[in-house]
Amino acid sequence: MDLTATLKQAGGILKTSKFWIELLIMTVGMMVTACAVYYFLVPSKLIIGTISGLSIVLSGVSEQLFGVALPVSTVIFVINAILLVLAYFLIGKEFGIKTVYTALILGPMMRVLETYFPYENFIREGGSIPSVMGDIWFDLCCFVLLLSAAQTVLFKINASTGGLDILAKIVNKYLHFDIGASVSVAGAVICCTAFAINPFHMVVIGLIGTWINGLVIDYFTAGLNNKKRVCIISSQHERLRDFIVNDLVRGVTLYEVTGGYSNQKKTEIEVLLNKDEFTRLMKLIEEENIDAFVTAGNVSEVYGLWAGKNSKQRRKI
């Protein structure tokens, strides 16, 4: 009975558009990640604080010890497989299941790039260190921007690029660090392993890249999650309340306030809106010439009943 119910539930999930949209997002995100690692880290052996960076170190160590370098894609696959077990039990089934897909396709994607589009075809000549962009700092910037964008989008749908993201998510969940700080702390430890194959200045560059990666993730995440805390004082507060509740389908809080200059009692509306909803509200105020005093500030995180899924459920009702 349990197996039948599970299969029925899985079949229902496969029929939803949400599943296929998220699958596409995860696939594209991981292809971007694979390209970032293979073309901007592997040629120069630049070690950023990621599992991919650790895999490059282990590949280099195996070459020093045994004369044979293990393929970076293979090492990534093995490490991610181990970390996936931790993700499933410590973070949650949804995160773990999604990360199974993203983590396990990274290695094969890099293998495809190694076979059909080797980085040797794109290396700039003349540099002391092999580099696709011709400069190690340009490689660093390209890698950080691509990886941070992919990580942010995947975190948004409760997935990850695997590897270090799993460790960062664990730290974020149990120690309540910002996700960017979690990535930086875990990454710094991995960066230090680069002493096994790289000179000191390359390790320092890797540490700088790891720190920047954490900052960029926080920046991208804040941009995706930002909401507007809007406060409005208007004599037409009932019209605004009606629009917010029935058209925008958002809850509002009403306060009775007293003007310090006029000593008149008025009603203040407070509401949290996303950017599109805020634009619609301001458009209404402009089109209907509503006399209103409006202040708005950014809110980076919202918890509780505001969540978008609750709004969608209310729309259906």
Side-chain angles (χ1 to χ4, degrees):
M1 291 294 293
D2 291 339
L3 178 59
T4 302
T6 302
L7 292 175
K8 186 177 180 180
Q9 182 180 10
I13 293 174
L14 291 175
K15 294 179 181 178
T16 62
S17 59
K18 178 177 180 290
F19 170 82
W20 293 106
I21 291 172
E22 291 188 348
L23 182 68
L24 177 61
I25 291 173
M26 289 188 288
T27 302
V28 173
M30 292 314 298
M31 178 54 71
V32 170
T33 301
C35 291
V37 172
Y38 183 67
Y39 291 114
F40 300 119
L41 292 190
V42 174
S44 61
K45 291 184 171 59
L46 176 63
I47 308 303
I48 305 297
T50 64
I51 294 303
S52 300
L54 178 60
S55 300
I56 294 172
V57 171
L58 294 177
S59 176
V61 170
S62 70
E63 185 176 17
Q64 293 175 1
L65 295 178
F66 308 108
V68 178
L70 293 172
V72 174
S73 56
T74 302
V75 181
I76 289 175
F77 184 88
V78 172
I79 294 177
N80 276 331
I82 296 172
L83 289 175
L84 286 173
V85 178
L86 294 177
Y88 185 85
F89 288 106
L90 296 180
I91 302 176
K93 293 182 180 180
E94 182 185 9
F95 182 87
I97 291 173
K98 287 181 177 179
T99 306
V100 166
Y101 175 72
T102 56
L104 294 185
I105 65 172
L106 178 59
M109 282 182 171
M110 287 187 61
R111 174 63 73 179
V112 170
L113 296 176
E114 290 170 352
T115 305
Y116 298 104
F117 308 100
Y119 67 78
E120 288 85 358
N121 296 342
F122 306 97
I123 291 295
R124 298 286 185 89
E125 297 181 358
S128 58
I129 299 174
S131 169
V132 170
M133 298 298 294
D135 184 277
I136 192 68
W137 288 101
F138 284 165
D139 280 6
L140 175 65
C141 290
C142 290
F143 171 78
V144 167
L145 288 175
L146 290 175
L147 180 66
S148 299
Q151 287 176 314
T152 302
V153 172
L154 291 175
F155 281 144
K156 184 68 176 178
I157 62 173
N158 200 28
S160 80
T161 58
L164 182 65
D165 295 351
I166 297 174
L167 297 178
K169 195 75 172 179
I170 292 172
V171 173
N172 172 254
K173 180 175 181 179
Y174 292 100
L175 299 181
H176 306 292
F177 288 175
D178 288 340
I179 197 68
S182 302
V183 169
S184 297
V185 171
V189 176
I190 293 176
C191 274
C192 292
T193 65
F195 282 112
I197 63 171
N198 282 343
F200 179 78
H201 76 279
M202 289 290 287
V203 178
V204 172
I205 292 174
L207 286 168
I208 293 173
T210 302
W211 174 63
I212 295 175
N213 184 36
L215 294 179
V216 175
I217 288 176
D218 277 343
Y219 176 80
F220 284 160
T221 301
L224 287 176
N225 293 332
N226 267 356
K227 306 295 182 295
K228 292 286 187 182
R229 179 178 179 268
V230 185
C231 297
I232 309 170
I233 297 177
S234 172
S235 59
Q236 296 175 258
H237 60 271
E238 278 299 326
R239 171 70 182 107
L240 295 173
R241 185 200 66 81
D242 179 72
F243 176 77
I244 293 170
V245 171
N246 295 309
D247 291 82
L248 300 183
V249 196
R250 291 297 180 193
V252 299
T253 302
L254 303 178
Y255 297 98
E256 184 179 287
V257 296
T258 303
Y261 180 78
S262 65
N263 205 34
Q264 293 180 350
K265 294 188 179 299
K266 298 181 180 180
T267 299
E268 179 183 30
I269 297 175
E270 181 178 320
V271 59
L272 288 176
L273 303 173
N274 61 36
K275 293 178 181 178
D276 291 338
E277 293 164 346
F278 178 67
T279 300
R280 290 175 60 191
L281 175 63
M282 296 306 296
K283 184 178 180 181
L284 173 79
I285 293 174
E286 181 181 356
E287 289 180 347
E288 298 191 7
N289 293 318
I290 295 176
D291 184 19
F293 176 75
V294 182
T295 60
N298 289 328
V299 177
S300 60
E301 294 187 45
V302 179
Y303 302 96
L305 298 178
W306 191 92
K309 62 181 181 181
N310 294 323
S311 176
K312 292 178 181 177
Q313 289 171 356
R314 290 179 60 190
R315 283 191 177 95
K316 291 181 180 178
I317 295 174

